[in-house]
Amino acid sequence: MAAGDTYINKSLPRVDGESKTLGQTKYITDIEIEGMAHAYPVCASVPFGKVKSVNYSKLSEDPDFITLVSASDIPGQNQVGVIIQDQPLFADETVRFVGDVIALVVAETHRSAVRLAKLVEVEYEKQEPLFSISSSQNSSSNFIHETNIACSHRVQKGDIDKGFAEADYIMEEQFSTPFQEHYYLEPQGCIAISESDGSFTIRGSLQCIYYVQKAVARVMGVEASLVRVIQSPTGGAFGGKEDIPSEICARAVLAAKICNRPIKVIYEREDDFQLTSKRHPFEMKYKIGVMNNGKILAAKVELNENAGAYATLSSVVSYRSSIQALGPYVIPNVEVESTSWYTNLPPTGAFRGFGSPQATFGHERMMSIVADKLAIDPIDFRLTNIIEPGDETITGHTLNHSVGIKETILEAQYKSNWTAEKQNKESERYLTGVGVASSIYGNCLGAAGWHLDGAGVNIQINRDGSIGVAYGLIEMGQGADTVITQMVAEALSVSPARVHIRPTDTASIPDSGPSVASRNVVMTGNAIQDAASKINPVVLDAAAKMMNCASSDILIEEDLIKNLVTGETVVFDKLTEFMHMNKYQVVAHGWWHVPELSFDHASGIGEAYFTYSYATHIAKVKIDKLTGLVQVEKIWAAHDVGKAMNPAGIEGQIEGGTLQGLGWALTENFQLDNGHVTSTNLSTYLVPTAMDIPDVETLIVESPDPEGPWGAKGVGEPAIIPTAAAIANAVSNATGRHFNKLPIIPESVLRELSNPKGV
Ligand code: MOS
């Protein structure tokens, strides 16, 4: 078959672009089913306590009220913990955060369900809540679960005492990062149907159909085969629809079974804000031992994460942040401890990067602070310690392939005219500065989630030459369907116009794990190549028969079947008609699993991930000394993506990720009062808009990975990872002060400017 880049490495327009732009796409809220009822959760209004009584007598007179569902109605287990089994579907006795769900009200309309849920009266015996990491750490008797530690991970390599003893300088700093709300444009929602044969069908806005399937099967006490989950078009997720839909869908299924009616649940924005997961706030301590020449000898890192009331995906965040805690650098002596602490706040979980933006803020602020201290240019200091092919990561994994970090630094340095720009300039009103940050990102789930790290695709060639494709991961706005269309076209040498992606459905593909961790292109791309390796020989055999020649005389290229001897050419759909009439059946399942990883969990040593993506961002900022406002004028974003599948799509991911990182760094000031989120909509939680986006220059570096399909690696999460650190470094460079805490709001800029330099 044809080799080379016919359909990949091209900016194919979005296959879902037209229907979305024209408003034709049906999101879950647009779907109505005959006889459907609506449900809404009744939530705890205190952060910590015991439920004494639930009184819903006020509801029974309302003509729209149908029923109230709670823990005692569950036929299976009252448990939806995704990794650690600490999370009931309905609070049975204890509530651990404002928003813990006590019951579900079912009513005739959505409006009535929302209104009636607020009329349920709950009496509590209150307990002393713990909100901060330090209060959780310091509490010796007040435990939110059996202990206040949700999980912890460590990396221990070499001898840090010896390393620090030999170092010329030792520096210590502390950093902290805040909550971040995903603010997907489409709030959480689903529709559940209890079918007459005892099975359940669920449609929803979600990232992980198999997580939902597992949760529903467990709660309803049925086998997974009886739970069919179909993803509806999803208007953004960013990690926020990884585990949360499992609980929303499981409650809806229970209500559907009890009422024998389809049940729809759509969260209001303010409740979505209070009830669903966030990015973990981190408190970080870094200690670095370095030689006069800039070589780092030893590093000790302590990461503490605010996990909120339930562990959810904290262990993924804690694991990943421990592995990546020191970035893309070679350091011989290392000790990293990463711990997630329970508090009485909304559970924090998956958010684009799984702890990477936080850890990157820590190591990249630290790198710039140490470089300043040594009076070495921050880029030169990074290059002195940068990981290159043949070097070891901090977990002792020798990387021989696809290590493009140095190229990303050099590209960004060159394009940004770094040497001239870093001479920060001060005018009467403004300060300007530049900052750099580099990052490393382990692809897919890594050693901690290896058993989940397989994914599949089904490819079916129809008689008319159209090609149906089903895959186990999902499109959530990132452009996956488009890239998968391109990869199928490339693997089969047919026009992308023939390829049609079907909705992701548990009934069509076996458990392919979660749609997270920038997995989709790598996993599905390899599965497509596996399916193509089964289809292509059959197609070639049929083509030889049709053209009456040897299969070695056939070339299939750009949708055409060519007889290389006679020069005869036919289009692909003529061949598929021939195949149908001659007993050829062409459907194949493709599967790929991440290669075996050798890793010791006790020491954190070994192959933590099979490969890594790399990025360097340089930010240029202008600061208004009068108002304290930071304006990001430009970001140069250089990314090693292995191989670019769709360059325009990558540019889109990088612009979006960069803006999301800018919001976390500068404008999104998440506010809480006694466990209640008070910044619950866009008037108080300032998500950056088109007016705030800086000029973003995307620089694509290709360092192909031997395990990646056509060499590709993930880029979805790397897009956000270094942005905030680069901005904070630029603000620190411009002002001569250390900005070690996010968000950098105008008030904090003015406060720092009133302090002497270097403090
Ligand atoms: Mo995302 S943090 O990989 O769900």
Side-chain angles (χ1 to χ4, degrees):
M1 296 274 152
D5 304 350
T6 309
Y7 303 114
I8 59 164
N9 205 231
K10 301 278 188 302
S11 293
L12 190 79
R14 288 283 292 251
V15 295
D16 51 349
E18 188 173 312
S19 62
K20 283 180 175 165
T21 329
L22 294 175
Q24 292 163 345
T25 303
K26 293 260 178 271
Y27 293 91
I28 193 70
T29 195
D30 302 319
I31 298 172
E32 298 290 330
I33 296 177
E34 179 82 20
M36 188 167 78
H38 300 261
Y40 211 71
V42 177
C43 301
S45 58
V46 302
F48 198 20
K50 299 244 185 294
V51 176
K52 303 298 289 176
S53 67
V54 178
N55 176 355
Y56 61 102
S57 57
K58 278 193 189 155
L59 278 59
S60 46
E61 279 111 69
D62 196 288
D64 275 356
F65 176 65
I66 298 172
T67 193
L68 182 117
V69 178
S70 65
S72 59
D73 298 308
I74 294 173
Q77 294 174 41
N78 184 18
Q79 180 55 245
V80 287
V82 57
I83 296 170
I84 297 169
Q85 310 309 302
D86 64 353
Q87 190 174 7
L89 179 67
F90 288 108
D92 34 11
E93 187 182 297
T94 307
V95 294
R96 297 182 178 86
F97 75 103
V98 174
D100 227 343
V101 175
I102 296 165
L104 190 74
V105 168
V106 185
E108 292 295 341
T109 68
H110 171 70
R111 282 278 139 247
S112 294
V114 173
R115 176 174 53 81
L116 294 172
K118 315 276 181 217
L119 296 180
V120 177
E121 289 165 351
V122 184
E123 262 191 318
Y124 306 93
E125 182 187 310
K126 290 185 192 170
Q127 284 172 257
E128 189 60 36
L130 305 172
F131 296 131
S132 64
I133 292 171
S134 61
S135 67
S136 178
Q137 284 172 319
N138 296 332
S139 182
S140 53
S141 59
N142 189 10
F143 292 132
I144 295 167
H145 295 273
E146 273 167 31
T147 132
N148 282 344
I149 294 181
C151 58
S152 67
H153 290 89
R154 67 188 343 222
V155 177
Q156 201 157 25
K157 184 172 93 149
D159 180 343
I160 56 163
D161 294 333
K162 188 163 170 278
F164 284 124
E166 290 170 4
D168 290 326
Y169 287 101
I170 295 174
M171 298 194 60
E172 288 181 72
E173 288 286 342
Q174 298 194 17
F175 308 101
S176 78
T177 60
F179 281 100
Q180 187 177 26
E181 159 64 29
H182 305 84
Y183 219 95
Y184 28 72
L185 285 179
E186 181 202 21
Q188 304 273 352
C190 73
I191 294 175
I193 299 170
S194 177
E195 308 282 1
S196 55
D197 63 359
S199 71
F200 303 105
T201 307
I202 300 121
R203 286 183 169 73
S205 176
L206 43 90
Q207 267 179 274
C208 303
I209 56 171
Y210 308 101
Y211 282 0
V212 173
Q213 184 185 42
K214 191 175 161 200
V216 169
R218 177 195 276 179
V219 166
M220 298 308 293
V222 300
E223 289 154 301
S225 305
L226 296 178
V227 180
R228 182 178 179 195
V229 184
I230 305 160
Q231 185 226 3
S232 57
T234 295
F238 309 112
K241 292 172 184 169
E242 176 165 355
D243 56 324
I244 297 292
S246 300
E247 51 170 284
I248 299 174
C249 294
R251 291 187 197 108
V253 167
L254 180 62
K257 175 78 180 171
I258 288 170
C259 302
N260 199 23
R261 290 172 67 170
I263 298 288
K264 188 183 205 176
V265 179
I266 305 285
Y267 277 11
E268 295 289 301
R269 176 65 69 185
E270 284 77 3
D271 295 315
D272 194 309
F273 230 109
Q274 179 72 49
L275 270 58
T276 70
S277 64
K278 317 276 165 246
R279 183 183 295 292
H280 287 69
F282 270 47
E283 299 287 339
M284 305 178 261
K285 289 182 191 158
Y286 276 74
K287 179 176 173 186
I288 297 276
V290 64
M291 301 305 286
N292 274 324
N293 65 6
K295 273 274 179 207
I296 300 173
L297 274 193
K300 184 172 170 15
V301 181
E302 191 186 313
L303 307 175
N304 290 297
E305 303 108 32
N306 191 328
Y310 298 103
T312 70
L313 292 149
S314 287
S315 65
V316 180
V317 169
S318 164
Y319 172 74
R320 187 177 280 283
S321 59
S322 71
I323 303 299
Q324 299 172 184
L326 286 155
Y329 307 108
V330 178
I331 305 175
N333 306 294
V334 169
E335 189 180 295
V336 180
E337 292 278 354
S338 177
T339 311
S340 286
W341 299 89
Y342 287 122
T343 61
N344 295 109
L345 291 176
T348 47
F351 193 150
R352 200 175 196 170
F354 279 126
S356 311
Q358 296 97 313
T360 300
F361 184 76
H363 65 72
E364 289 307 279
R365 276 297 296 131
M366 194 69 200
M367 290 298 283
S368 287
I369 290 168
V370 176
D372 279 353
K373 173 82 180 172
L374 297 175
I376 300 177
D377 174 274
I379 286 185
D380 292 339
F381 179 53
R382 284 169 171 81
L383 290 173
T384 301
N385 295 286
I386 205 73
I387 190 159
E388 294 191 76
D391 287 338
E392 267 187 14
T393 66
I394 62 160
T395 73
H397 179 190
T398 303
L399 302 178
N400 290 314
H401 308 284
S402 193
V403 187
I405 181 62
K406 191 172 177 180
E407 289 87 333
T408 67
I409 296 181
L410 296 175
E411 264 296 287
Q413 181 185 35
Y414 173 71
K415 286 283 163 53
S416 66
N417 201 8
W418 171 261
T419 311
E421 289 290 350
K422 75 172 176 175
Q423 305 308 329
N424 51 28
K425 297 158 211 89
E426 179 163 5
S427 69
E428 204 174 320
R429 172 96 183 251
Y430 298 101
L431 295 163
T432 59
V434 284
V436 62
S438 293
S439 58
I440 184 168
Y441 181 80
N443 275 223
C444 302
L445 303 175
W450 185 85
H451 57 288
L452 294 176
D453 230 350
V457 65
N458 281 351
I459 301 178
Q460 178 177 318
I461 301 185
N462 299 309
R463 178 176 179 172
D464 66 355
S466 67
I467 298 172
V469 176
Y471 66 107
L473 304 182
I474 63 133
E475 167 70 62
M476 52 185 139
Q478 81 278 41
D481 282 357
T482 306
V483 174
I484 283 157
T485 298
Q486 290 176 261
M487 294 192 295
V488 170
E490 185 76 21
L492 301 179
S493 309
V494 299
S495 162
R498 297 188 178 282
V499 180
H500 301 277
I501 310 280
R502 311 314 304 144
T504 300
D505 181 341
T506 53
S508 52
I509 304 284
D511 190 342
S512 296
S515 292
V516 303
S518 311
R519 291 174 82 220
N520 212 333
V521 166
V522 171
M523 304 298 301
T524 310
N526 277 316
I528 287 167
Q529 291 189 339
D530 181 43
S533 73
K534 296 168 188 169
I535 291 173
N536 286 339
V538 178
V539 170
L540 198 59
D541 185 65
K545 195 160 280 174
M546 181 179 70
M547 292 185 138
N548 231 336
C549 65
S551 55
S552 56
D553 292 338
I554 299 280
L555 177 69
I556 303 181
E557 196 177 48
E558 296 190 39
D559 218 37
L560 294 174
I561 322 295
K562 294 176 188 160
N563 181 331
L564 294 171
V565 178
T566 64
E568 189 195 351
T569 295
V570 298
V571 295
F572 185 74
D573 44 57
K574 202 145 172 229
L575 173 63
T576 55
E577 171 67 19
F578 174 85
M579 290 170 79
H580 184 81
M581 300 306 284
N582 289 276
K583 292 198 300 186
Y584 285 93
Q585 194 221 25
V586 203
V587 54
H589 177 62
W591 185 261
W592 192 71
H593 199 285
V594 162
E596 208 86 44
L597 298 170
S598 154
F599 186 81
D600 175 44
H601 288 274
S603 62
I605 294 297
E607 296 158 331
Y609 294 92
F610 77 95
T611 194
Y612 297 86
S613 298
Y614 303 92
T616 297
H617 287 189
I618 288 179
K620 182 180 177 187
V621 302
K622 180 176 174 184
I623 298 163
D624 188 331
K625 287 193 277 187
L626 187 67
T627 64
L629 194 72
V630 176
Q631 192 195 337
V632 181
E633 294 195 313
K634 176 141 187 177
I635 289 185
W636 291 267
H639 286 258
D640 169 16
V641 300
K643 171 86 180 174
M645 296 284 105
N646 183 317
I650 289 174
E651 207 173 311
Q653 281 285 37
I654 290 173
E655 288 179 3
T658 300
L659 194 61
Q660 202 166 33
L662 183 151
W664 185 53
L666 298 178
T667 63
E668 296 176 32
N669 193 12
F670 194 93
Q671 294 294 305
L672 287 149
D673 179 18
N674 197 32
H676 294 260
V677 182
T678 54
S679 51
T680 55
N681 58 46
L682 286 183
S683 66
T684 45
Y685 189 75
L686 305 181
V687 172
T689 68
M691 296 300 288
D692 304 294
I693 191 163
D695 179 10
V696 178
E697 189 171 336
T698 299
L699 307 165
I700 294 176
V701 170
E702 291 183 321
S703 178
D705 191 277
E707 297 288 350
W710 294 276
K713 301 189 285 191
V715 69
E717 291 168 292
I720 192 178
I721 294 172
T723 311
I727 291 171
N729 283 340
V731 175
S732 302
N733 168 257
T735 58
R737 273 82 170 177
H738 286 177
F739 283 83
N740 294 350
K741 187 174 165 28
L742 296 180
I744 303 171
I745 54 173
E747 290 87 333
S748 46
V749 172
L750 291 179
R751 191 169 52 242
E752 287 295 335
L753 286 176
S754 69
N755 288 331
K757 281 197 180 194
V759 174

